[in-house]
Amino acid sequence: MKRTILSCLLILCGSCCIAQFSNPGFELPGSGSSIASGWNVFPVEGYSASLAADAAHGGARSLKMVGSGSDRSKFMNVSQNLAVDYRALKKIRITAFVKTQELQGNVALWCQIWDGNRKRIGFENSGMQGLTVSGTGDWKQVGLDLLLPREAKNL
């Protein structure tokens, strides 16, 4: 059985300012098909996501993702779009706190970089930077470093 408990207290840090994702600690519940306000959770067969009050890092909730499939080619994606201004940000770091239980795959942070014409101009993930989180572990801060091209408008 593959299980993951994940809380992303996401913060985007730049050389000249700090920008924060909307609802980074999953404290505000969503409406309709959104589990948490401001977050996109994409359903994948064999996975579920919910807000959990029994496994929170710093606030009252975390995002809990549970997978029971053995197909390692599948993964669950949670995302948020963030506008960036190159004049204020050139190098950024995305961080999250992650807690795992009996995780047979791994947890990865990843980011796509888009220009003003909605063309993807960059991609990075934590595995490419040598970070792997698997097995069972208590809360751990993980990060992803990005260099933004001058054309970057959205993450």
Side-chain angles (χ1 to χ4, degrees):
M1 176 184 271
K2 187 190 296 186
R3 300 178 83 186
T4 306
I5 299 173
L6 171 67
S7 177
C8 295
L9 305 174
L10 293 172
I11 301 171
L12 179 66
C13 302
S15 59
C16 298
C17 68
I18 296 177
Q20 194 168 16
F21 285 89
S22 173
N23 194 19
F26 304 101
E27 298 299 316
L28 302 173
S31 59
S33 64
S34 176
I35 291 173
S37 177
W39 289 95
N40 304 306
V41 179
F42 302 95
V44 174
E45 185 179 339
Y47 289 85
S48 65
S50 61
L51 294 181
D54 62 338
H57 177 265
R61 295 188 176 106
S62 65
L63 178 68
K64 181 177 183 177
M65 299 168 64
V66 177
S68 59
S70 59
D71 184 352
R72 289 186 159 201
S73 68
K74 290 184 178 181
F75 58 91
M76 185 170 228
N77 181 354
V78 179
S79 72
Q80 189 171 128
N81 294 323
L82 184 67
V84 294
D85 183 351
Y86 184 85
R87 293 169 293 171
L89 298 168
K90 294 180 180 141
K91 180 178 180 181
I92 59 172
R93 179 169 179 80
I94 298 171
T95 61
F97 286 90
V98 176
K99 180 178 180 179
T100 58
Q101 181 179 341
E102 301 173 19
L103 178 61
Q104 295 174 359
N106 66 26
V107 172
L109 299 180
W110 60 273
C111 184
Q112 297 177 352
I113 304 168
W114 302 87
D115 70 8
N117 296 317
R118 296 184 170 224
K119 178 183 173 191
R120 190 174 79 177
I121 57 174
F123 175 84
E124 191 73 36
N125 70 48
S126 52
M128 295 165 65
Q129 296 182 5
L131 172 70
T132 57
V133 178
S134 61
T136 298
D138 203 359
W139 292 106
K140 176 182 180 179
Q141 186 175 28
V142 296
L144 177 65
D145 296 312
L146 301 164
L147 291 173
L148 294 182
R150 186 172 303 276
E151 303 81 26
K153 298 296 179 198
N154 288 288
L155 302 178

